[in-house]
Amino acid sequence: VASAHTNLGILRGQLSQAAEGVRCYEQGLAAYRAAPSTDKEVFHNLLLLLGMAYFNSQRHAEAEPLLLNLVELRKEIHPTEEPRTAEFWNYLGIACQAQGKLVDAQSCFRVAGTLLARHLPPEHALRKQVASNAAHVEQQLKAAAPAAASQPAGLIAESGPLVASAPQPAAGPPD
């Protein structure tokens, strides 16, 4: 049932019926959660399609938990596809940033940058995009230093092992 909703959602998207496609993905995710399959690829695809549909519709608060689940699941079922996983960390960072969750966004961009540094040359467009996103959030954090220090922990910070288990760059001297 979940796969059927997913396929219908893809078809709706191809027919420029984005809202109907999102409803199909939502129904597919509900069906999957009601009767989980052992095929984690179905769950992965639903998270990907619905998370990106929300993201592309500027529904960042709805996209955030799906993208977070997606990057967690990708570590398990696609561990060698780090550049693609880094791309989703980047999207997750943008979703956090759009909601004013700057500390979470910073963590996401760091993970994305670290994963990309292992596989792509510095001049690659995705590495440049992630670096630019990270620099922008750094500027926002500096501009809002007192407010950011008291920012409550969000989904990224609460996930603890997720960010902690991802490779982190070595801490440099303070600016």
Side-chain angles (χ1 to χ4, degrees):
V1 174
S3 293
H5 285 291
T6 301
N7 292 336
L8 184 56
I10 292 168
L11 179 62
R12 295 284 194 174
Q14 291 171 343
L15 295 172
S16 299
Q17 300 171 347
E20 292 84 1
V22 167
R23 279 194 287 283
C24 291
Y25 299 145
E26 290 169 339
Q27 291 169 345
L29 188 57
Y32 182 88
R33 288 183 171 153
S37 166
T38 56
D39 183 0
K40 292 183 181 182
E41 197 66 40
V42 171
F43 186 48
H44 172 273
N45 291 339
L46 280 164
L47 292 172
L48 170 61
L49 292 166
L50 184 55
M52 291 309 299
Y54 285 157
F55 180 88
N56 291 329
S57 299
Q58 305 298 310
R59 294 167 64 178
H60 296 112
E62 294 168 279
E64 181 184 358
L66 298 176
L67 293 171
L68 181 60
N69 285 332
L70 179 63
V71 296
E72 289 176 338
L73 185 59
R74 285 190 66 79
K75 287 192 316 186
E76 180 181 336
I77 65 173
H78 296 293
T80 61
E81 295 181 14
E82 288 186 343
R84 185 78 169 133
T85 301
E87 184 177 352
F88 298 124
W89 275 108
N90 185 51
Y91 288 131
L92 181 56
I94 294 168
C96 290
Q97 184 178 10
Q99 298 173 78
K101 298 178 179 181
L102 301 179
V103 173
D104 286 346
Q106 180 183 45
S107 296
C108 292
F109 295 138
R110 282 186 181 153
V111 172
T114 301
L115 292 174
L116 291 173
R118 291 185 193 161
H119 301 280
L120 301 176
E123 63 276 1
H124 191 278
L126 184 56
R127 279 192 68 183
K128 288 181 177 181
Q129 179 187 6
V130 170
S132 175
N133 292 344
H136 188 253
V137 83
E138 291 290 333
Q139 290 174 345
Q140 288 179 296
L141 281 167
K142 285 180 182 177
S150 64
Q151 178 182 350
L155 283 175
I156 309 305
E158 290 171 6
S159 68
L162 176 63
V163 174
S165 66
Q168 297 292 319
D175 291 329

